[in-house]
Amino acid sequence: MKRKLVIINTIGIVLIVGYLAYLAFGAFRSGYPWSLVCYNCKQCNASCILGMDPQGFIESAYANDADIYMYATNIRMTLQKAYDIDPGMTLKAGNDTITAREALESRGIPPEAEIITYRMRARDAAKICLDCGACDKSCPIKLPVSSIIRHLKQHDSFGSE
Amino acid sequence: MDPVGTIALAIFLFAVVGSIRGWIPQRVLPIQTALLLAAVIITVAGLAFGEKIRFGEFVTATSLHPITATIAGFIFAGALKSAGGFDAATDMLKKIMRTPLGAPFAVMLLVNIPTVFAMPCGRIWVAPLLPVAMMIGYELAREKNDRLLPSMVVFGLIVNAAASCGPSLIGGIGTLGEGMGRYPAGSFSNPQSIAIVVITVAVMALIKYVFKIAVDPVGLQTPSDNAPGVPEHGYFSFILFVAVLAVTVVVNPPIPLQTILVILTVIVMIVARLSFNDLMQGIMLHPLTAMISGFIVAGALSAFGGFAVLLQILEYIARNTPLGYMGVALILIYLPVIFPMPCGRILAVSLIPAALMYGERLAEVTGHPELQSVMLIAFILSGAASCGPSPLGGIGCIGEGNLQLRGFVSGKPQALGILLGAPVAALMVSFMGLSASLFSFGFTAVSLTLCTICGILTNVLLGYRAYHPGGILGGAAIGILMVIF
């Protein structure tokens, strides 16, 4: 390998290792460093009666970003309400998934129509969560997932966002 | 179709296929840098089209669990190596090989251990067992004068370990499918475990009869009999490792495996009086950095709609070609093998919703509701095993490096082995349904029968007579262990 390529590739590897460090840093900044421990096994998903994927809250914690979209596949509300919460929220429309904005503006679905959500921001999902704690119980390593949800419910974002 | 997603997918495919085919020479851009560059180009293309960057979307595509499990596994492997744990394991297997059960029994046991005690990441087992597999492989090669045997044993172990994160009850990819599909916890485990034994034997057979991956004869010149004896704490370290992992699988304690491995490392360090430098012997940066770069490019793909475009293409093919939904469902099942990522979780998380959707359509079309679980389990097994043949820092790369083979040479036999084995799991679920109970007579009978047949095949593959008791008893033992654990 030529010297220039050695330098370029070394920078690349350093950036890759740096990315890993950034993830750890993000988890600490959000105040939930234990989010790095998650097995990503989705056992919590099966236990949520609202069809939420609670692992999405953990992802948003180590990304230190409450606007991460996560699955929430069993929540019903009017299209207008979904649009008011977040026009970028994804909804189920037959076999398709579309955003609330598309549903209202392009598809002409009436605002009072009841829709089923598909993906929504972690901060919005936290507000809808029933706080039943089923996700905590189903976690194989008993991570306190609901503590992130309660935090987002109260503060709408992570500490240093 | 979204132009940014299409461009992102095209760039990703070029980076992966280009690296595998040698269009992007490794001496110019190793796979890690090529993937990082692909992620940068995708991002620039997205920005040029006016898309907004959300760094969080990149980050969420990264599954930290396999990365930290790999690091913990490598560190423990370093401790085990310095404490003589590998020497002890090799010595134990050599003693087994000298019994009437011989090499087939030892090999059956060794290559299938990762699936018997399935961990959430196969790298946990590969790191410490690979040197043992190499030593046994070379020993057999010298005895049988067959340079294919080291590759057969090593890649048999590797594909088994790679796929073992599928049936793992402690946070494996199977649990991910059970969770997302809302199936009973643990119901995907037995069919996958049994199918993995078939995949393992298929890969060994493909290496022997089709791909003929021979190792350098230089490696055969140093008999291991000249090696020094087992160090004082070797047996303690290795037995402690196997015992703790076995107990972990049975008890399933609420402690992360990484923590367990770190505690084990500290115990071995204290007992064998090791320094931190000793631990560094086990660390291999290439698979780690390649895996992270794989996650980064997957993040870019996800953030800019590459996966969504991939699904749209599949939908188009299903509606407009004779393949239909059945054909596309098959393509979807094998997509993780066609585009093997360094960790099966990348595609599993992105595509399980699609697999569930196609499964539902198939169930509607055929009137067989069980088809959704059939499709999901085949997809998950294919995804879990795909980190074996992945050229992007998959487990196969570790074997290729250690055996000093040409890069990416183990990909095809592993991919074909998975292709043959995934239908075994699908057929079992189709005919026997799902069972989350601890003991199922049906699965026990199938496991015992199939694993014994695999043991007989192992006899033949290793150059012994088909009715050699080693392979038969080894297969039967594995068949029972698969169901118990």
Side-chain angles (χ1 to χ4, degrees):
Chain A
M1 200 182 273
K2 289 177 185 169
R3 188 174 159 74
K4 273 183 190 171
L5 289 170
V6 169
I7 294 169
I8 290 169
N9 285 307
T10 309
I11 292 170
I13 299 293
V14 169
L15 285 175
I16 290 167
V17 176
Y19 172 77
L20 193 60
Y22 174 83
L23 290 184
F25 184 61
F28 274 95
R29 281 208 314 157
S30 73
Y32 294 93
W34 55 259
S35 60
L36 297 170
V37 178
C38 173
Y39 274 10
N40 196 4
C41 66
K42 304 277 182 194
Q43 286 296 293
C44 47
N45 191 342
S47 63
C48 180
I49 54 164
L50 291 178
M52 285 188 196
D53 170 19
Q55 200 243 332
F57 294 114
I58 293 183
E59 282 175 350
S60 70
Y62 68 71
N64 190 30
D65 184 351
D67 285 337
I68 294 293
Y69 279 88
M70 52 176 273
Y71 290 107
T73 56
N74 198 23
I75 300 166
R76 288 162 190 267
M77 61 177 82
T78 62
L79 177 57
Q80 186 62 54
K81 189 177 177 193
Y83 185 84
D84 291 342
I85 293 173
D86 170 25
M89 183 191 295
T90 335
L91 324 166
K92 282 184 202 164
N95 290 327
D96 228 356
T97 53
I98 52 171
T99 61
R101 183 184 289 113
E102 281 172 329
L104 207 58
E105 294 171 3
S106 316
R107 303 274 178 112
I109 299 172
E112 65 277 9
E114 190 182 64
I115 54 93
I116 303 174
T117 60
Y118 187 62
R119 273 162 77 87
M120 60 168 65
R121 292 182 303 195
R123 70 168 85 226
D124 302 326
K127 292 193 184 88
I128 296 168
C129 169
L130 300 174
D131 207 5
C132 66
C135 45
D136 291 356
K137 284 181 200 154
S138 58
C139 177
I141 46 173
K142 306 291 174 226
L143 291 177
V145 188
S146 58
S147 65
I148 300 178
I149 305 173
R150 279 195 295 274
H151 176 96
L152 285 178
K153 214 175 246 201
Q154 286 170 11
H155 305 285
D156 207 41
S157 65
F158 291 105
S160 51
E161 250 190 277
Chain B
M1 256 186 294
D2 174 26
V4 182
T6 313
I7 292 169
L9 190 63
I11 293 168
F12 166 73
L13 290 181
F14 178 76
V16 175
V17 179
S19 294
I20 297 170
R21 305 292 304 170
W23 304 332
I24 304 170
Q26 293 291 297
R27 66 176 185 282
V28 177
L29 280 183
I31 189 80
Q32 297 95 320
T33 332
L35 290 177
L36 192 67
L37 200 61
V40 171
I41 296 171
I42 290 170
T43 310
V44 171
L47 287 174
F49 275 84
E51 296 273 332
K52 287 177 190 164
I53 291 189
R54 251 212 106 70
F55 195 65
E57 294 283 324
F58 271 77
V59 171
T60 53
T62 303
S63 189
L64 279 166
H65 177 58
I67 300 173
T68 49
T70 307
I71 296 172
F74 282 168
I75 290 174
F76 184 71
L80 210 55
K81 186 178 180 185
S82 303
F86 296 157
D87 302 322
T90 312
D91 189 55
M92 276 190 259
L93 284 175
K94 275 184 184 167
K95 280 176 184 160
I96 293 175
M97 283 164 77
R98 281 196 283 270
T99 67
L101 296 175
F105 187 83
V107 170
M108 252 329 251
L109 211 63
L110 175 70
V111 297
N112 288 300
I113 275 185
T115 301
V116 172
F117 304 114
M119 295 286 123
C121 180
R123 287 169 169 91
I124 294 173
W125 275 113
V126 165
L129 287 188
L130 190 69
V132 183
M134 283 173 62
M135 280 188 249
I136 296 296
Y138 279 117
E139 185 84 16
L140 272 170
R142 275 188 288 273
E143 191 187 314
K144 298 276 177 188
N145 197 22
D146 182 353
R147 288 196 292 131
L148 299 172
L149 283 163
S151 309
M152 286 164 60
V153 177
V154 165
F155 292 114
L157 170 76
I158 281 175
V159 80
N160 191 286
S164 67
C165 63
S168 171
L169 295 171
I170 35 181
I173 301 184
T175 59
L176 202 153
E178 289 158 7
M180 289 176 90
R182 295 172 177 255
Y183 289 100
S187 57
F188 282 11
S189 185
N190 278 342
Q192 287 191 83
S193 300
I194 299 164
I196 292 170
V197 183
V198 177
I199 292 176
T200 307
V201 173
V203 169
M204 288 165 73
L206 284 162
I207 288 174
K208 184 178 174 92
Y209 297 119
V210 183
F211 294 95
K212 301 187 188 303
I213 305 173
V215 294
D216 195 324
V218 175
L220 303 179
Q221 285 168 4
T222 352
S224 59
D225 290 344
N226 293 347
V230 179
E232 194 185 352
H233 305 292
Y235 283 107
F236 168 78
S237 312
F238 187 73
I239 291 170
L240 179 76
F241 171 61
V242 176
V244 169
L245 289 198
V247 169
T248 306
V249 170
V250 175
V251 178
N252 207 348
I255 307 167
L257 260 170
Q258 292 86 334
T259 313
I260 294 173
L261 285 171
V262 170
I263 293 169
L264 276 177
T265 305
V266 172
I267 294 172
V268 172
M269 279 180 80
I270 292 168
V271 172
R273 290 176 192 158
L274 303 178
S275 68
F276 280 103
N277 284 344
D278 292 322
L279 304 185
M280 294 302 120
Q281 289 186 31
I283 299 274
M284 285 181 272
L285 279 176
H286 170 77
L288 268 175
T289 49
M291 182 166 37
I292 301 167
S293 60
F295 280 125
I296 293 173
V297 77
L301 263 187
S302 173
F304 291 106
F307 286 124
V309 168
L310 186 63
L311 288 178
Q312 282 169 8
I313 293 171
L314 291 178
E315 184 74 16
Y316 179 83
I317 296 170
R319 285 186 181 166
N320 300 293
T321 69
L323 281 173
Y325 280 99
M326 183 60 86
V328 170
L330 276 176
I331 294 176
L332 190 59
I333 286 172
Y334 291 118
L335 211 58
V337 185
I338 300 168
F339 304 122
M341 294 282 179
C343 173
R345 281 175 168 83
I346 300 173
L347 280 183
V349 171
S350 310
L351 297 180
I352 279 179
L356 283 166
M357 186 188 75
Y358 272 89
E360 203 178 313
R361 297 240 176 108
L362 280 184
E364 281 168 13
V365 171
T366 57
H368 289 281
E370 73 276 12
L371 273 184
Q372 192 185 46
S373 52
V374 167
M375 180 167 170
L376 192 58
I377 202 162
F379 173 77
I380 285 171
L381 180 57
S382 152
S386 67
C387 65
S390 171
L392 318 179
I395 307 185
C397 298
I398 305 175
E400 286 159 6
N402 276 285
L403 289 174
Q404 296 178 7
L405 296 169
R406 195 163 43 84
F408 316 138
V409 75
S410 73
K412 281 181 189 165
Q414 288 190 73
L416 281 174
I418 299 164
L419 202 81
L420 294 170
V424 175
L427 281 170
M428 266 186 275
V429 175
S430 180
F431 286 107
M432 300 163 68
L434 291 170
S435 168
S437 62
L438 276 177
F439 181 80
S440 154
F441 178 77
F443 278 117
T444 309
V446 172
S447 178
L448 197 59
T449 311
L450 274 182
C451 292
T452 308
I453 292 171
C454 289
I456 293 169
L457 291 173
T458 305
N459 277 339
V460 177
L461 289 171
L462 297 181
Y464 291 80
R465 289 198 174 100
Y467 52 81
H468 189 280
I472 296 172
L473 288 176
I478 291 295
I480 292 185
L481 287 172
M482 286 290 177
V483 184
I484 292 174
F485 290 102

